[in-house]
Amino acid sequence: MKNLIQKLPKAELHLHIEGTLEPKLMFRLAKKNKIKIPFKTVAEVKEAYNFNSLQSFLDIYYAGATVLIKEQDFFELTWEYLLTCKEQNIVHTEIMFDPQTHTSRGVKFETVINGISRALEKAKNELEISSFLIMSFLRHLSQKEAFETLKEAEPFKNKIIAVGLDSSELGNPPSKFKEVFEEAKKQSYKLVAHAGEEGDASYIWEAINLLHVDRIDHGIRCDEDEKLLEYLKQNKIPLTVCPLSNTKLKAVKSMKNHNILKLLKKGLHVMVNSDDPAYFGGYLNENYEALVKDLNMNEDELKKLIQNSFDASFLEGKIS
Ligand code: HPA
Ligand code: ZN
């Protein structure tokens, strides 16, 4: 199975570019940009990656992101991830970025997006990897700030396919962002939102009924609501599931308890993604491998999950 996982061309739909910052690059950029980070050695970093919740991870993830200052830093971050995509035979990737994580520190929106886009363009030409960018609003901030970010994105609209919603879920339900998602839809963006990672099924309902999303990021708590399961199945709403992330952040007890294959068997449109691979112990292939090891995933299930990722992508039949 390991060989097959490696060999099959794959797509990734839920990946935070800031979550691909490997400790080595973090140290290099911290030194170059003279930024203080709360670690001295790679061992210390790894020690700090013992998370017990989404928030305990986010605190470290935002601290790590402070080393990204120059356009070249965003380019290198993205290029490193794309090289890994090549190694893992990921041929299409839809990458989230959090502009507010950077603009709040005085880094310009254009610095972020130009650095990332340059790497994506190079990967298209040199690595034959296609990609789209998803701009995520930080949900612990206000809707007003999300509107400001949407405005800042206007000159770069042709580089961004969708808007998303991430960061601290509990206490920040989708309803908080209803109007800004309405405006983004008017501007022809596709829509995604994290929901049902730590939040209950009501967060998923809100993302569907109030934000009108095209995909749900995570969505694993849908299994607490039979009606919701039926609705997701009937309407073929994709759930971009991230198994290693869910176990690392204790959204599920262990990989053996993960519901992804149960959801697949019920006919839901689930697929596998890596979320923040530098922090969660593996990229896309390692996520698939974990399902073989702990859930006895078979070849048909693997192929179906991969097919689902292409079907749910914003390529919409353009290639794949
Ligand atoms: N959930 C919410 N926000 C995030 C995540 C996540 O898994 N990763 C980066 N930002
Ligand atoms: Zn995520």
Side-chain angles (χ1 to χ4, degrees):
M1 281 292 275
K2 196 171 169 171
N3 286 341
L4 187 63
I5 289 168
Q6 169 61 35
K7 199 177 77 182
L8 291 170
K10 292 166 294 287
E12 170 138 82
L13 306 181
H14 181 163
L15 179 283
H16 303 263
I17 200 62
E18 294 88 350
T20 67
L21 180 61
E22 290 288 347
K24 238 176 106 184
L25 183 60
M26 192 193 295
F27 281 115
R28 188 157 64 72
L29 294 178
K31 195 165 170 211
K32 177 181 81 92
N33 292 327
K34 303 189 170 60
I35 302 289
K36 268 210 162 76
I37 47 170
F39 322 106
K40 285 199 194 68
T41 62
V42 173
E44 258 184 51
V45 175
K46 295 282 172 195
E47 176 69 25
Y49 289 3
N50 249 326
F51 310 115
N52 54 30
S53 64
L54 174 57
Q55 194 58 51
S56 66
F57 154 68
L58 289 170
D59 293 343
I60 297 221
Y61 164 91
Y62 294 128
T66 61
V67 304
L68 300 160
I69 306 284
K70 300 276 196 270
E71 185 188 310
Q72 182 65 18
D73 305 341
F74 290 92
F75 170 82
E76 282 176 32
L77 173 73
T78 310
W79 184 244
E80 273 200 6
Y81 164 65
L82 291 161
L83 288 175
T84 306
C85 286
K86 188 71 189 170
E87 273 171 30
Q88 298 213 342
N89 207 10
I90 298 167
V91 297
H92 177 72
T93 178
E94 302 190 353
I95 297 178
M96 278 181 248
F97 74 115
D98 296 336
Q100 291 158 303
T101 297
H102 314 296
T103 52
S104 65
R105 303 179 287 114
V107 177
K108 288 207 170 80
F109 190 100
E110 65 186 60
T111 303
V112 180
I113 196 159
N114 287 342
I116 297 172
S117 300
R118 189 153 56 85
L120 299 182
E121 194 59 26
K122 187 172 157 81
K124 189 169 100 190
N125 296 329
E126 296 178 17
L127 307 176
E128 293 176 79
I129 295 171
S130 63
S131 59
F132 290 130
L133 262 185
I134 301 171
M135 175 174 79
S136 282
F137 303 124
L138 298 181
R139 69 202 304 160
H140 65 274
L141 301 179
S142 67
Q143 173 164 256
K144 181 167 167 283
E145 287 160 293
F147 265 112
E148 285 161 13
T149 303
L150 188 64
K151 181 93 191 133
E152 276 188 288
E154 254 171 36
F156 306 98
K157 242 187 114 205
N158 64 338
K159 294 186 193 295
I160 303 170
I161 197 154
V163 304
L165 188 62
D166 64 6
S167 190
S168 320
E169 186 177 6
L170 293 173
N172 297 298
S175 52
K176 186 176 161 185
F177 295 90
K178 183 174 181 297
E179 288 79 15
V180 75
F181 268 64
E182 224 167 73
E183 176 57 28
K185 195 175 177 77
K186 266 195 212 141
Q187 294 185 22
S188 309
Y189 287 106
K190 303 269 187 199
L191 308 173
V192 300
H194 284 54
E197 178 185 15
E198 282 190 342
D200 64 20
S202 72
Y203 284 67
I204 304 174
W205 278 122
E206 282 195 6
I208 295 168
N209 291 328
L210 302 181
L211 304 188
H212 307 289
V213 293
D214 297 286
R215 299 195 299 241
I216 298 282
D217 290 318
H218 292 295
I220 52 169
R221 287 192 64 182
C222 66
D223 64 0
E224 296 167 13
D225 181 336
E226 280 300 325
K227 270 202 188 130
L228 177 58
L229 282 171
E230 197 49 36
Y231 186 91
L232 292 169
K233 182 179 164 180
Q234 290 303 331
N235 292 280
K236 220 174 160 234
I237 298 177
L239 306 181
T240 65
V241 179
C242 307
L244 283 175
S245 165
N246 297 149
T247 52
K248 271 283 187 178
L249 301 188
K250 314 284 193 293
V252 298
K253 249 196 233 130
S254 73
M255 196 60 85
K256 286 190 166 50
N257 295 302
H258 204 290
N259 62 2
I260 184 166
L261 295 187
K262 282 191 194 138
L263 296 175
L264 184 72
K265 274 200 192 83
K266 281 182 199 271
L268 270 77
H269 202 87
V270 292
M271 81 290 304
V272 176
N273 303 274
S274 70
D275 208 8
D276 301 282
Y279 292 89
F280 299 151
Y283 286 76
L284 190 57
N285 286 359
E286 288 78 19
N287 271 272
Y288 281 113
E289 284 165 17
L291 301 188
V292 176
K293 179 171 165 278
D294 289 320
L295 296 174
N296 293 314
M297 178 176 68
N298 64 36
E299 207 177 303
D300 288 347
E301 289 166 327
L302 169 66
K303 288 181 176 165
K304 181 67 181 155
L305 287 166
I306 293 176
Q307 187 58 50
N308 282 353
S309 64
F310 284 104
D311 290 347
S313 79
F314 294 134
L315 286 167
E316 294 172 339
K318 279 180 221 122
I319 55 166
S320 91

